[in-house]
Amino acid sequence: MSGKLKFLTVEQKKFWDENGFIKLSDVFSNEELDEISKEYDDLFERKQKEDAGGLEAAWKGDDMKRAARNISYTVKSIHNLQMHSAVFTRLLLQRRLLDAMEDIVGPNVLLHHTKAHIKPPEKGAPYLMHQDYPYFPFKKHSMCAVFVHLDDTSPENGGLCVYPGSHKLGPLPERELIDEHGEKYRYVDPERFPISGATPLTARRGDIIVFSYLLLHGSYLNLSDRPRRMFLAQLRSADDEPAKSVHHSHCQDLVLRGKNPFMRATMATRFVDSTKNQ
């Protein structure tokens, strides 16, 4: 980052550097939050009617069973929300949000992917402590998660928890579990980094937690009578590049702020009518 801060204070930027995360408030207006919340609920309702089983995103395995206290747990997820509604595209382009992200990753901010999780009341799945790095590693580690809370959130309804400063440890050894569908779950040793030892992060509706993809984070089991809804975007600096060609998503590398000076010019290819000669 260079130049004058647009959104963060000097103290907030120092906190980010030391802890690997920061909470932002008053980024979205109440009108924006109402629009996002309504569109979010409509999308999940529509997609659960179409394919309820395909939305399941809870991790499996014995370590998860222990973290969930052997309760039958669940969490529903949808990826690439900007492909479903312009409301989520406007969220990604919101000026105050991008002012903050420019202070964190620099003037050229690119999208990697988006997703949303709903933890239902009484059985919302926890997530073991993990880094996002193994899923989409980048060389300069500029990748950040932008975690938008759509409900008041605390440990009781499955809120986030982190190990402050753990981003300074770099990539950590991981455990990998592959389920019957080929899905991979990567997390760190629960005995070394238990959820119980992490710092809980409470948030009000509309609050945003931004954290480095190297920060150890997880979330609690939701046994409350309240849901926990979230929207997450992974953003990075344009001058970073992937260490591996993995986790390709819709609209990946879309420029949200500034420019991408490393993007090659492309030519449109000639359209071929696949219905001919059949």
Side-chain angles (χ1 to χ4, degrees):
M1 186 203 69
S2 61
K4 185 178 179 181
L5 295 172
K6 291 178 175 291
F7 187 92
L8 303 185
T9 66
V10 172
E11 291 76 17
Q12 284 177 313
K13 186 59 173 60
K14 182 178 180 181
F15 185 93
W16 164 265
D17 292 338
E18 289 297 315
N19 293 281
F21 74 94
I22 193 167
K23 179 160 69 174
L24 307 176
S25 300
D26 302 321
V27 173
F28 298 106
S29 68
N30 287 329
E31 291 76 16
E32 287 172 320
L33 288 171
D34 288 344
E35 180 185 48
I36 293 166
S37 185
K38 181 181 184 303
E39 194 71 14
Y40 186 101
D41 288 345
D42 288 349
L43 175 60
F44 268 93
E45 181 179 358
R46 186 168 74 251
K47 293 305 176 183
Q48 288 192 85
K49 288 179 180 177
E50 293 174 6
D51 185 15
L55 303 187
E56 183 58 50
W59 290 358
K60 310 298 182 183
D62 291 339
D63 288 325
M64 273 295 296
K65 289 179 182 178
R66 284 188 286 271
R69 308 175 199 173
N70 291 314
I71 293 170
S72 178
Y73 56 86
T74 183
V75 63
K76 305 302 181 185
S77 181
I78 296 175
H79 284 235
N80 303 306
L81 277 76
Q82 74 281 359
M83 303 300 291
H84 295 277
S85 170
V87 168
F88 304 110
T89 304
R90 288 196 290 274
L91 187 163
L92 292 170
L93 293 170
Q94 209 266 10
R95 179 184 60 80
R96 288 170 61 79
L97 172 61
L98 292 177
D99 284 349
M101 294 312 301
E102 182 173 342
D103 289 344
I104 292 171
V105 304
N108 302 316
V109 183
L110 305 189
L111 174 68
H112 191 266
H113 70 273
T114 66
K115 66 180 179 182
H117 284 167
I118 293 181
K119 287 190 183 187
E122 300 178 352
K123 59 179 181 178
Y127 279 91
L128 298 167
M129 304 307 299
H130 63 283
Q131 297 175 311
D132 291 337
Y133 163 84
Y135 293 98
F136 34 91
F138 275 72
K139 294 181 179 180
K140 295 183 179 180
H141 303 316
S142 69
M143 186 74 71
C144 297
V146 177
F147 192 110
V148 182
H149 293 79
L150 298 182
D151 300 295
D152 291 350
T153 304
S154 66
E156 287 70 32
N157 69 326
L160 275 173
C161 56
V162 302
Y163 275 80
S166 57
H167 65 302
K168 296 180 181 179
L169 299 174
L172 293 168
E174 65 192 62
R175 293 187 180 184
E176 182 178 274
L177 187 150
I178 304 176
D179 70 11
E180 65 273 16
H181 303 294
E183 291 291 330
K184 294 182 179 180
Y185 314 118
R186 297 183 171 103
Y187 56 95
V188 296
D189 183 352
E191 294 186 4
R192 183 183 177 192
F193 296 107
I195 294 177
S196 60
T199 298
L201 301 180
T202 60
R204 303 288 292 176
R205 175 180 183 260
D207 283 349
I208 300 170
I209 303 292
V210 182
F211 57 90
S212 165
Y213 82 156
L214 287 172
L215 185 75
L216 280 172
H217 63 283
S219 61
Y220 299 100
L221 180 66
N222 181 8
L223 293 178
S224 76
D225 59 359
R226 299 180 291 126
R228 193 216 71 178
R229 299 173 302 155
M230 59 78 93
F231 171 94
L232 185 142
Q234 294 279 357
L235 310 181
R236 69 174 177 92
S237 172
D239 69 356
D240 206 349
E241 58 182 321
K244 295 180 182 179
S245 181
V246 293
H247 202 297
H248 300 288
S249 300
H250 292 289
C251 302
Q252 190 165 313
D253 297 339
L254 178 69
V255 181
L256 303 179
R257 169 67 62 92
K259 61 187 70 176
N260 184 357
F262 306 99
M263 181 68 183
R264 288 185 176 184
T266 56
M267 294 286 288
T269 56
R270 185 171 56 187
F271 174 74
V272 177
D273 187 349
S274 61
T275 64
K276 291 182 179 181
N277 303 318
Q278 289 187 1

